[in-house]
């Protein structure tokens, strides 16, 4: 019997297991996928070019725990050129600042919002911005939060931004963001390719049984760090969940997310970043001298890119609008990450909706001193659903396990 089994080798699961190991607890991580990292997935070009991200994109903040794990990281370089697509035409991003309320300023103002219970969509209409500016800001928030602004609670989003522990700045991980999870995984026992199908506390309360495709194992405690959507979809059954927690799993549905790395027959002329305000492409970027274009799309834009990726002509047309230099080139290869179709993710991450903060609190609550829950969904409405939020919540769950073990001695 393992002392503790952590289900899921994403950032939260690995952070939890590392903290338990630091305290001298024998913890084992079981991961359904053939790799560690969860929704961190790095793509490495065959010619040895710089790694590109198909999941989490960057390290947010100078106090992000990634710096502690990996050491000092370089700041995200500013692109040589930045554009916004509006009316299916790419224009300089600087044009958005002329009206006085560019989307990044609206986002900064949201961080200070504390009043009432309104959606981000409704809140945007109170800023006094022109209708065109509001439309652009809506798409910006849609891509930032992976949800329609009409479904994002403004006060909860503002609170999450204010309480973010990451600090300032944005940073890259040379060699790929998955080096973070690989470094964490080196410090604990991890078994990949082992989906956990059922979890049940022993009738006498003496431990927990886990049914996997390899058989059955037992543990003193179990920490579930997979997205609630995995439980809601029936891929993992947890005996004894009450209706409140099942409802929480339904509420904490992640938003649609789709990423792609498109390799072209020629290199980019400069570092370029593009925001598609029309809602068709999300964020696109390329690096000078490299043939790859990275596309990161959420919510309705994810559906657009997903459809385009299935037809080379449509994908080429989408790229040509955002990045005209691609029009004369051929698509050589496409590597995709469809997070909504990925069974052990169910989507990108959870946005703070009207009921999601309370649902997250219910989901995170320990069950009987034997079952514990952690992950980005568990911090919805209280912290940003990115690496730092998942990491902190994994360690929070580990502390709950340690407290329960001490009380049981």
């Amino acid at each position: 019997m393992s002392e503790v089994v952590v289900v899921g080798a994403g950032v939260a699961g690995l952070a939890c297991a590392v903290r338990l190991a630091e305290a001298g607890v024998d913890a084992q991580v079981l991961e359904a996928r053939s790799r560690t990292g969860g929704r961190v997935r790095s793509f490495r070009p065959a010619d040895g070019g710089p790694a590109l991200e198909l999941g989490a994109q960057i390290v947010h903040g100078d106090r992000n725990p990634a710096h502690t794990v990996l050491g000092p990281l370089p700041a995200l370089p500013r692109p040589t050129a930045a554009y916004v697509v509006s009316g299916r035409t790419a224009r300089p991003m600087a044009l958005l600042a002329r009206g006085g309320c560019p989307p990044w300023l609206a986002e900064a103002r949201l961080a200070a919002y504390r009043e009432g219970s309104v959606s981000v969509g409704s809140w945007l209409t109170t800023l006094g911005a022109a209708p065109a500016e509001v439309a652009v800001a809506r798409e910006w928030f849609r891509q930032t939060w992976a949800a329609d602004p009409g479904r994002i609670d403004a006060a909860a989003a503002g609170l999450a931004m204010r309480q973010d522990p990451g600090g300032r700045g944005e940073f890259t991980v040379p060699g790929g963001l998955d080096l973070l999870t690989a470094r964490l995984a080196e410090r604990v026992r991890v078994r990949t390719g082992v989906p956990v199908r059922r979890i049940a506390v022993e009738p006498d309360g003496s431990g927990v049984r886990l049914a996997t495709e390899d058989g059955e194992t037992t543990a003193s405690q179990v920490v579930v760090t997979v997205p609630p959507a995995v439980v809601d979809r029936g891929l993992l059954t947890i005996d004894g969940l009450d209706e409140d927690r099942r409802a929480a799993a339904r509420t904490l549905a992640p938003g649609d997310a789709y990423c792609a790395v498109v390799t072209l027959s020629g290199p980019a002329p400069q570092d370029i970043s593009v925001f598609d305000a029309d809602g068709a492409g999300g964020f696109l970027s390329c690096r000078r001298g490299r043939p790859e274009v990275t596309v990161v799309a959420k919510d309705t834009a994810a559906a657009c890119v997903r459809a385009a990726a299935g037809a080379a002509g449509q994908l080429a047309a989408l790229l040509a609008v955002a990045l005209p230099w691609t029009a004369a080139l051929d698509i050589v290869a496409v590597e995709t990450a469809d997070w909504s179709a990925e069974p052990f993710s169910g989507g990108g991450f959870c946005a703070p909706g009207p009921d999601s903060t309370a649902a997250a609190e219910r989901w995170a609550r320990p069950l009987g001193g034997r079952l514990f829950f952690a992950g980005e969904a568990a911090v919805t409405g209280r912290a940003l659903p990115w690496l730092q939020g998942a990491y902190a919540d994994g360690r929070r769950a580990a502390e709950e396990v340690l407290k329960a073990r001490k009380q049981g001695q």
Side-chain angles (χ1 to χ4, degrees):
M1 174 190 287
S2 298
E3 289 187 87
V4 180
V5 167
V6 178
V7 182
V11 171
L14 293 171
C16 178
V18 167
R19 175 66 189 100
L20 291 171
E22 290 171 349
V25 176
D26 174 39
Q28 179 178 216
V29 183
L30 300 182
E31 168 57 48
R33 303 177 183 87
S34 60
R35 60 174 182 83
T36 62
R39 283 165 284 187
V40 173
R41 180 182 161 195
S42 301
F43 170 78
R44 294 175 174 81
D47 66 357
L52 301 166
E53 304 303 339
L54 284 164
Q57 296 293 304
I58 58 175
V59 172
H60 294 268
D62 53 5
R63 297 194 302 273
N64 195 297
H67 298 284
T68 302
V69 177
L70 294 172
L73 297 173
L76 180 72
R78 289 185 176 275
T80 306
Y83 297 92
V84 57
V85 172
S86 179
R88 305 321 293 153
T89 300
R91 301 177 173 87
M93 185 79 79
L95 293 176
L96 293 180
R98 291 185 177 179
C101 190
W104 52 86
L105 179 58
E107 193 170 51
R109 292 173 67 177
L110 178 63
Y113 182 77
R114 306 167 182 265
E115 304 170 6
S117 180
V118 300
S119 71
V120 167
S122 297
W123 172 80
L124 283 170
T125 64
T126 70
L127 298 182
E133 289 182 300
V134 172
V136 169
R138 286 181 65 89
E139 185 58 27
W140 183 278
F141 279 100
R142 192 189 304 274
Q143 295 309 310
T144 302
W145 292 93
D148 186 296
R151 296 182 53 250
I152 304 171
D153 183 273
L159 177 63
M161 295 169 71
R162 291 194 301 276
Q163 295 190 158
D164 175 46
R168 297 178 179 275
E170 296 178 332
F171 302 84
T172 61
V173 179
L177 198 53
D178 62 0
L179 294 179
L180 168 67
T181 50
R183 188 70 59 83
L184 291 171
E186 291 173 353
R187 300 167 61 181
V188 293
R189 290 191 298 135
V190 181
R191 292 177 60 199
T192 58
V194 185
V196 176
R197 299 303 188 188
R198 193 177 202 98
I199 298 173
V201 176
E202 296 283 8
D204 61 1
S206 60
V208 186
R209 286 181 291 110
L210 302 95
T212 75
E213 293 189 353
D214 286 352
E216 196 171 88
T217 188
T218 58
S220 178
Q221 278 105 5
V222 170
V223 184
V224 177
T225 69
V226 301
V230 175
V231 175
D232 186 46
R233 295 180 177 189
L235 293 174
L236 169 61
T237 298
I238 303 176
D239 292 354
L241 288 189
D242 58 26
E243 181 51 36
D244 273 357
R245 205 180 299 255
R246 293 182 186 280
R250 292 192 294 272
T251 299
L252 297 172
D256 195 4
Y258 190 95
C259 300
V261 173
V262 184
T263 303
L264 301 165
S265 58
Q270 58 186 328
D271 295 346
I272 306 173
S273 176
V274 182
F275 164 51
D276 190 337
D278 288 344
F283 288 99
L284 304 91
S285 61
C286 59
R287 301 185 187 186
R288 183 178 183 274
R290 293 300 308 173
E292 301 93 6
V293 173
T294 300
V295 185
V296 181
K298 305 183 187 78
D299 201 60
T300 52
C304 292
V305 176
R306 182 182 294 113
Q314 292 182 33
L315 183 58
L318 188 151
L319 295 181
V321 169
L323 298 163
W325 65 269
T326 66
L329 302 176
D330 296 324
I331 293 176
V332 175
V334 182
E335 184 77 16
T336 65
D338 189 343
W339 294 106
S340 298
E342 213 264 12
F344 300 108
S345 297
F349 50 80
C350 297
D355 303 316
S356 58
T357 301
E361 292 174 352
R362 294 198 303 273
W363 181 257
R365 192 178 303 139
L367 184 60
R370 293 293 179 182
L371 288 180
F372 302 81
F373 300 82
E376 58 83 16
V379 300
T380 303
R382 294 180 287 114
L384 294 176
W386 299 329
L387 288 175
Q388 63 268 36
Y391 185 94
D393 203 60
R395 292 182 70 89
R396 184 269 310 163
E399 295 297 339
E400 290 183 342
V401 172
L402 294 174
K403 180 179 179 180
R405 294 178 63 81
K406 184 176 181 178
Q407 291 176 341
Q409 290 177 349

